[in-house]
Amino acid sequence: MLDPKVIKEVLNIAHKLNEEENITVILITHYMDEAVDSDKIVVLKQGKILNCGTPTEIFNDEKTLLSAGLTFPRPMILSKQLNSRGINCQVSIKKQDLLLSLASILEKGEYNQQISCFANSVSVGETVISCQDLSYTYNKKTKFSHDALKDINLDIKQGEFIGVIGHTGSGKSTFIQHINRLIEVDTGSLQVNGLNLSPKKRKEKKALKQSLCDLRKNVGMVFQYPENQLFGETVYFDVSFGVKNFMPKTTKKQIEEMVSVAIQRVGLNYEEIKEKSPFELSGGQKRRVAIAGVIVTTPQILILDEPLAGLDPQGKVELINLLKNLFGKVCKTIILISHDMDEICQSCSRVIAFDNGKIALDGKPQEVFSKVEELKDLRLDIPLVSYLVQGLKEYGININCDLTSEGFIDSITRGIC
Amino acid sequence: MSKDVSLGQYYPISSPIHRLNPCLKLLVFIGFIIVAFWGISNFWGFGFLFLLLLVITLVSKVPIKSVLSSLKAILFLVIITALINLFFGARKGETDPIWINFWFIKISRGVIVDASFLACRLIIIALASGLLTLTTSPIELTDGLEILLYPLKLIKIPVHTLALIMSIALRFIPTLTEKTQTIMSAQKARGSKLDSGNFINKIKALVPVLIPLLIGSFNVADQLGDAMDARCYTGKNRTKYKILGFGLRDIVSIIIFALAITGIILLNIFVGKV
């Protein structure tokens, strides 16, 4: 998966070719915000053309759009929400238009958010992951040596929903693979769930080897494109793989129970799907089966590496909801790597930005995403709300909110009333 | 993911040896094999060949350690073949003093010489092939092979296609290595016994890695095929991005090598058989 900066560059090239060289560009995308810049959109479903027209036409035809499993562009969703709360801004498909429209209807002054609308009610507990001066070098002592992590100091507490951002090659994948010892600690120290992953003495090393199984059971890891790791003849067999490995003494009945719970948790019908081959499922279903294969052992810490990449809008919404449901009930701590800043901003209680193997930013979403300049330097995007808040500042409109869309709407409505 | 950027054992620096025409390097390599196996019958010759290899290594600026490490893989083979030769080899029709006579083992002077010759030959080939792959990138190597195999085109063997298959295979080694690592990590995270457990468990644990890998490679092949079709690839009348030149450097090295070979043959004649 490319990071936002690279995606932007590629799209810019396509637009340039189109405008300057007059080349026809056909862009296939799941991202509505990429589609809005085109001249004409064609919506396909099951081999049929459902709709065809300019972006404005397409996105105003709500019924057809939703029946094709698509959604509105983000600015449009936000402006619709604003409209329903009595703020008559123009319904716009582009963020620039929404910004202008808001700037024209809002009066100058301060807008403060009153309600706290952060979705996560799980209380933050003790430290579960803690690392000091963690460094890692690939291909040490060769010509190709490359520092992937440099002196990482980090504490992660139980009950945190952490979003990890950073451009490609910033070290975030290397970091998370340390947590369940897929990569052995090179220098520095790391404790996960009270287990020392950087043993010095022989005795500790031996103890670690024995508790490795426990560690991996408690730290679930969903890799990028997890559907590529499916191998079983049936969905049941694939999902039960983890249980059989981690808990060899489980009876058949218990395994069945756990698998059915996991499959239902990811929103699939157990009876319908259990005997199917994972390879005959759709992309979104495959991914959910793969996630079921990880959460089947009810890990305390769940790590997901870009789980949203390549999913269609509906699949994305469902997966985010799934994570929110899992959080607290099944997995006490979630670490989510994503390039989708809007999702990170909406869902996470803490955001950590990696850059060149170091932690560049760390804090609550509203803290991290208000540092627009720093994020630009890190080659990262900013969420829509953050864009609007920053843009409106130039018009003398100061909005103080937690940068979620709920918070944004709340602060504006209060100001107007 | 910048691990495993190295492909094969190519040592990417610039040196006169690195810049030689790969065809020439392949020919010299073949020359080495021929000379080592049929052109030498005394230790002086081997000494000379080793010296030649040392000089090439020094000119190529590849650390001697890396060149020697190409011996690791065949050390076992060398020892076994030498021992077999030692115990079961015999020279016929010559007076050959027997040095050791113990039970059924009879080791004569000639057999010891033969066995050590064989070991030297294998070591020379290993070192030479190590040097070749250390100083020539796989892509250059396939290019060189394609040119050397050109005459086979006359008997309708699709040399270009074969070379393409080879370079695609080489190109996808790092991709597949990365894929394998990801899949292995993913299955380890699900408790697969890939890094623990006994031999049989480890073999069993490979199934969940191999199946996704196989499916993944088919997907990659499919996509690559589509991409090549989209660029109208037919394999006909293709030109090269990097045209292999044949310059002064190559001529000089041919002369040096030819002189060296003549030297070895002369040495062989004058010193005679051991």
Side-chain angles (χ1 to χ4, degrees):
Chain A
M1 174 75 178
L2 298 171
D3 56 42
K5 172 107 192 279
V6 183
I7 291 175
K8 232 182 221 167
E9 284 166 4
V10 173
L11 286 175
N12 278 342
I13 294 172
H15 279 289
K16 223 174 165 182
L17 286 176
N18 176 247
E19 282 152 23
E20 291 171 13
E21 311 277 330
N22 222 6
I23 291 173
T24 309
V25 175
I26 299 175
L27 172 77
I28 299 178
T29 180
H30 281 323
Y31 299 99
M32 301 305 123
D33 296 284
E34 279 173 20
V36 293
D37 290 322
S38 49
D39 300 320
K40 189 174 166 186
I41 297 178
V42 180
V43 181
L44 284 151
K45 190 196 178 188
Q46 288 172 339
K48 282 186 191 161
I49 292 182
L50 278 192
N51 208 348
C52 174
T54 62
T56 327
E57 283 166 17
I58 294 290
F59 291 118
N60 281 321
D61 187 352
E62 190 175 333
K63 215 174 128 200
T64 333
L65 191 74
L66 295 181
S67 74
L70 303 176
T71 73
F72 302 107
R74 275 184 176 125
M76 196 164 170
I77 297 174
L78 188 62
S79 47
K80 281 195 168 192
Q81 284 171 337
L82 284 167
N83 279 346
S84 69
R85 300 280 286 272
I87 295 158
N88 292 319
C89 65
Q90 187 197 335
V91 175
S92 0
I93 54 171
K94 292 187 189 180
K95 58 182 184 181
Q96 293 88 340
D97 297 341
L98 180 59
L99 175 64
L100 288 178
S101 149
L102 280 174
S104 64
I105 58 166
L106 293 179
E107 285 167 26
K108 283 184 186 177
E110 300 282 323
Y111 293 82
N112 291 319
Q113 178 183 358
Q114 301 289 317
I115 55 157
S116 157
C117 51
F118 187 62
N120 294 304
S121 49
V122 178
S123 59
V124 173
E126 55 194 279
T127 306
V128 283
I129 299 167
S130 118
C131 58
Q132 290 88 38
D133 302 321
L134 188 70
S135 301
Y136 190 80
T137 311
Y138 282 115
N139 297 313
K140 221 178 182 183
K141 286 181 192 162
T142 64
K143 250 182 124 65
F144 317 103
S145 79
H146 163 74
D147 295 332
L149 290 180
K150 297 170 201 157
D151 297 326
I152 301 286
N153 286 296
L154 192 64
D155 278 331
I156 291 173
K157 295 191 170 66
Q158 192 173 61
E160 284 189 303
F161 194 132
I162 294 184
V164 176
I165 54 177
H167 60 82
T168 315
S170 59
K172 45 192 189 343
S173 292
T174 310
F175 173 69
I176 58 159
Q177 287 188 50
H178 272 91
I179 299 173
N180 62 359
R181 204 169 167 79
L182 290 169
I183 294 178
E184 288 186 17
V185 175
D186 188 18
T187 47
S189 66
L190 174 66
Q191 281 90 34
V192 177
N193 270 344
L195 189 67
N196 183 8
L197 293 194
S198 45
K200 297 274 176 335
K201 292 173 202 144
R202 189 173 286 172
K203 214 175 173 184
E204 285 177 327
K205 276 183 192 166
K206 214 174 166 189
L208 175 60
K209 221 170 193 181
Q210 275 163 355
S211 34
L212 194 61
C213 190
D214 264 352
L215 170 77
R216 288 188 178 157
K217 179 180 167 286
N218 284 327
V219 182
M221 180 93 114
V222 179
F223 277 81
Q224 273 182 59
Y225 300 102
E227 61 273 21
N228 290 348
Q229 286 119 41
L230 296 173
F231 70 96
E233 274 169 61
T234 62
V235 169
Y236 177 82
F237 184 78
D238 206 290
V239 174
S240 65
F241 183 67
V243 187
K244 285 176 194 159
N245 282 329
F246 287 129
M247 299 176 263
K249 284 177 192 149
T250 326
T251 61
K252 216 171 168 201
K253 215 173 166 191
Q254 283 171 313
I255 296 179
E256 228 178 280
E257 170 73 26
M258 290 170 84
V259 171
S260 90
V261 167
I263 290 182
Q264 276 158 15
R265 262 190 190 131
V266 296
L268 294 171
N269 188 329
Y270 174 65
E271 290 301 327
E272 208 175 85
I273 213 169
K274 66 172 178 181
E275 291 304 327
K276 276 192 183 172
S277 158
F279 303 109
E280 57 183 284
L281 303 176
S282 76
Q285 283 176 323
K286 271 189 202 168
R287 186 160 299 185
R288 281 197 253 169
V289 168
I291 293 175
V294 175
I295 61 164
V296 67
T297 51
T298 55
Q300 301 277 298
I301 303 170
L302 183 65
I303 304 170
L304 303 106
D305 192 349
E306 285 181 51
L308 303 174
L311 285 184
D312 60 26
Q314 206 147 27
K316 235 177 181 176
V317 173
E318 282 166 2
L319 189 56
I320 281 285
N321 286 336
L322 164 72
L323 288 184
K324 283 180 181 162
N325 273 330
L326 284 178
F327 183 57
K329 283 180 212 141
V330 184
C331 313
K332 302 235 166 69
T333 312
I334 290 188
I335 300 175
L336 169 72
I337 292 187
S338 179
H339 284 316
D340 191 328
M341 301 303 149
D342 286 274
E343 287 306 346
I344 293 264
C345 190
Q346 290 286 339
S347 322
C348 299
S349 62
R350 179 175 167 195
V351 179
I352 299 170
F354 275 80
D355 181 46
N356 272 328
K358 285 182 183 154
I359 292 177
L361 296 168
D362 181 1
K364 287 185 175 155
Q366 60 263 40
E367 291 162 13
V368 170
F369 287 118
S370 54
K371 292 173 180 159
V372 181
E373 286 306 312
E374 280 102 320
L375 287 169
K376 215 180 233 169
D377 288 340
L378 301 179
R379 299 199 277 152
L380 292 172
D381 241 0
I382 51 169
L384 173 66
V385 175
S386 174
Y387 168 82
L388 293 175
V389 170
Q390 287 298 321
L392 288 171
K393 225 176 235 169
E394 282 171 30
Y395 294 94
I397 302 163
N398 290 322
I399 295 172
N400 302 312
C401 70
D402 61 8
L403 297 184
T404 62
S405 41
E406 272 305 305
F408 183 72
I409 296 167
D410 181 66
S411 51
I412 290 185
T413 42
R414 266 167 219 281
I416 282 186
C417 301
Chain B
M1 298 283 153
S2 48
K3 47 188 164 180
D4 290 301
V5 280
S6 64
L7 178 77
Q9 53 169 357
Y10 180 55
Y11 198 84
I13 50 170
S14 179
S15 81
I17 303 289
H18 281 76
R19 288 189 296 262
L20 280 184
N21 187 317
C23 290
L24 181 78
K25 280 193 264 188
L26 274 166
L27 283 174
V28 169
F29 174 62
I30 296 166
F32 253 101
I33 297 177
I34 293 172
V35 171
F37 267 85
W38 292 286
I40 296 176
S41 51
N42 59 47
F43 284 110
W44 289 101
F46 284 116
F48 200 83
L49 269 193
F50 278 122
L51 196 71
L52 195 60
L53 280 174
L54 182 68
V55 172
I56 298 175
T57 311
L58 290 179
V59 176
S60 73
K61 294 182 203 157
V62 176
I64 294 178
K65 219 170 117 193
S66 320
V67 181
L68 286 180
S69 71
S70 54
L71 277 183
K72 255 189 245 159
I74 67 142
L75 203 61
F76 185 68
L77 185 79
V78 170
I79 292 171
I80 292 290
T81 36
L83 284 180
I84 288 177
N85 261 276
L86 202 61
F87 293 137
F88 302 108
R91 275 191 179 180
K92 280 172 193 163
E94 276 176 57
T95 46
D96 193 11
I98 288 176
W99 284 3
I100 300 169
N101 196 343
F102 174 71
W103 197 17
F104 67 96
I105 302 167
K106 290 188 179 66
I107 296 174
S108 66
R109 180 183 164 277
V111 168
I112 292 177
V113 171
D114 283 352
S116 45
F117 274 13
L118 193 76
C120 282
R121 283 176 181 138
L122 289 175
I123 290 170
I124 281 177
I125 291 174
L127 288 178
S129 67
L131 256 178
L132 179 72
T133 45
L134 278 165
T135 59
T136 322
S137 75
I139 298 297
E140 279 179 329
L141 219 51
T142 31
D143 273 359
L145 263 180
E146 191 186 340
I147 295 169
L148 285 183
L149 294 178
Y150 194 82
L152 289 180
K153 263 188 190 164
L154 298 177
I155 51 167
K156 301 256 161 106
I157 289 175
V159 175
H160 173 77
T161 314
L162 291 177
L164 180 80
I165 290 171
M166 211 168 128
S167 38
I168 288 178
L170 288 168
R171 157 65 186 80
F172 277 96
I173 289 172
T175 314
L176 289 181
T177 317
E178 204 184 306
K179 250 198 166 99
T180 318
Q181 270 165 354
T182 319
I183 297 172
M184 278 170 78
S185 302
Q187 307 299 24
K188 272 192 217 164
R190 285 166 76 188
S192 159
K193 304 270 184 299
L194 274 167
D195 50 359
S196 53
N198 57 27
F199 185 68
I200 293 174
N201 274 345
K202 274 185 189 166
I203 298 279
K204 271 190 194 160
L206 275 181
V207 175
V209 174
L210 290 180
I211 292 175
L213 186 66
L214 214 62
I215 292 170
S217 345
F218 278 121
N219 286 341
V220 170
D222 227 28
Q223 284 168 7
L224 184 70
D226 282 347
M228 284 166 80
D229 273 343
R231 310 302 306 272
C232 299
Y233 178 84
T234 57
K236 280 178 195 136
N237 303 326
R238 284 184 61 79
T239 50
K240 288 243 184 300
Y241 171 61
K242 262 190 183 166
I243 296 169
L244 297 174
F246 202 82
L248 192 65
R249 192 184 298 121
D250 300 295
I251 295 170
V252 170
S253 44
I254 281 188
I255 294 171
I256 293 176
F257 189 70
L259 282 177
I261 296 226
T262 330
I264 288 173
I265 291 170
L266 284 179
L267 205 69
N268 215 22
I269 293 169
F270 285 125
V271 180
K273 249 184 168 181
V274 179

